[in-house]
Amino acid sequence: SQQGEEDPQALSIQEGENATMNCSYKTSINNLQWYRQNSGRGLVHLILIRSNEREKHSGRLRVTLDTSKKSSSLLITASRAADTASYFCATEGTSGSRLTFGEGTQLTVNP
Amino acid sequence: NAGVTQTPKFQVLKTGQSMTLQCAQDMNHNSMYWYRQDPGMGLRLIYYSASEGTTDKGEVPNGYNVSRLNKREFSLRLESAAPSQTSVYFCASNPQGTYEQYFGPGTRLTVT
């Protein structure tokens, strides 16, 4: 079964707006990662947050992690049409290095 | 560096046929992975290889076999393809001591 569940499944916004995607998971983790997938392409790693971290920034990306609620959010600020893609969270459990992926959020940024 | 490469990009098989999906990475990574991606299901791990000479089952290994030929190459074999194996297959790798995975471009497989 999938470890992560993402919300919303689809999000459509205007260029310049912020986009927020949420991820919930079920078991204890070592870290949580976010990946982007452009249509017809492979996944690209965006950012990793460790279980002892609460917030992390990378450029226009901000990730938060709440281990008590087993949830994470990805915020993309000042979105651009080029941010249109599917975004996946992936968790690494405490028992090993395998990742478990959520079902993804399809983000559409309208110019 | 080419990163992670996969061949073929597209393949159509008839039920019962066999084929091997090839994956290679030129980043000297220790671990390699095979995933399948189905609509609405995210990515599911089929098999992985933590190092050359070792392979382990993932979440959905039935109907598949793998070979870690050397450090660079990790192949996925379908011995008798079934329509349920219609999917997009991704290979990934990551170096020892880090957690982010690097993905190939995928193989789109259709089994009729």
Side-chain angles (χ1 to χ4, degrees):
Chain A
S1 63
Q2 297 294 111
Q3 159 80 312
E5 293 185 1
E6 296 182 59
D7 169 54
Q9 288 188 333
L11 179 62
S12 182
I13 60 174
Q14 296 299 121
E15 214 166 20
E17 294 180 340
N18 295 343
T20 300
M21 289 158 268
N22 302 296
C23 170
S24 60
Y25 57 92
K26 297 175 183 173
T27 61
S28 297
I29 61 171
N30 282 335
N31 63 73
L32 185 144
Q33 304 176 36
W34 286 90
Y35 288 78
R36 184 187 72 226
Q37 183 181 34
N38 290 90
S39 181
R41 308 291 290 273
L43 278 71
V44 174
H45 182 266
L46 294 176
I47 194 167
L48 178 153
I49 187 165
R50 299 179 193 278
S51 60
N52 61 355
E53 297 176 310
R54 292 298 167 257
E55 187 171 313
K56 202 160 183 181
H57 297 253
S58 176
R60 294 183 297 112
L61 304 180
R62 173 178 169 254
V63 172
T64 61
L65 179 65
D66 186 335
T67 53
S68 66
K69 294 181 179 178
K70 292 187 169 56
S71 67
S72 173
S73 67
L74 171 67
L75 168 68
I76 304 174
T77 60
S79 63
R80 306 166 181 168
D83 294 328
T84 294
S86 292
Y87 291 81
F88 294 89
C89 68
T91 54
E92 181 191 319
T94 54
S95 59
S97 61
R98 296 179 289 172
L99 291 180
T100 304
F101 286 82
E103 296 174 6
T105 293
Q106 172 62 51
L107 173 66
T108 302
V109 181
N110 301 298
Chain B
N1 288 349
V4 180
T5 57
Q6 293 182 235
T7 56
K9 285 187 168 53
F10 301 93
Q11 183 71 48
V12 179
L13 292 178
K14 294 188 188 306
T15 297
Q17 288 185 320
S18 62
M19 79 160 295
T20 299
L21 282 65
Q22 305 286 353
C23 173
Q25 51 89 12
D26 62 0
M27 297 174 284
N28 202 36
H29 288 174
N30 288 328
S31 299
M32 298 185 73
Y33 309 82
W34 275 106
Y35 295 91
R36 59 178 289 174
Q37 183 177 35
D38 301 296
M41 295 291 289
L43 273 75
R44 291 182 292 171
L45 182 64
I46 305 170
Y47 270 94
Y48 68 103
S49 171
S51 61
E52 185 179 354
T54 69
T55 60
D56 286 287
K57 295 178 180 179
E59 183 184 353
V60 287
N62 290 346
Y64 305 95
N65 286 302
V66 291
S67 295
R68 183 75 183 268
L69 304 168
N70 47 54
K71 193 170 187 180
R72 290 186 64 249
E73 299 172 290
F74 188 36
S75 63
L76 178 72
R77 183 162 178 83
L78 287 70
E79 290 292 351
S80 180
S84 61
Q85 295 178 305
T86 293
S87 188
V88 182
Y89 291 85
F90 288 99
C91 177
S93 68
N94 72 299
Q96 189 171 10
T98 72
Y99 305 106
E100 64 181 85
Q101 293 186 9
Y102 296 76
F103 282 79
T107 294
R108 187 173 296 274
L109 175 67
T110 302
V111 183
T112 61

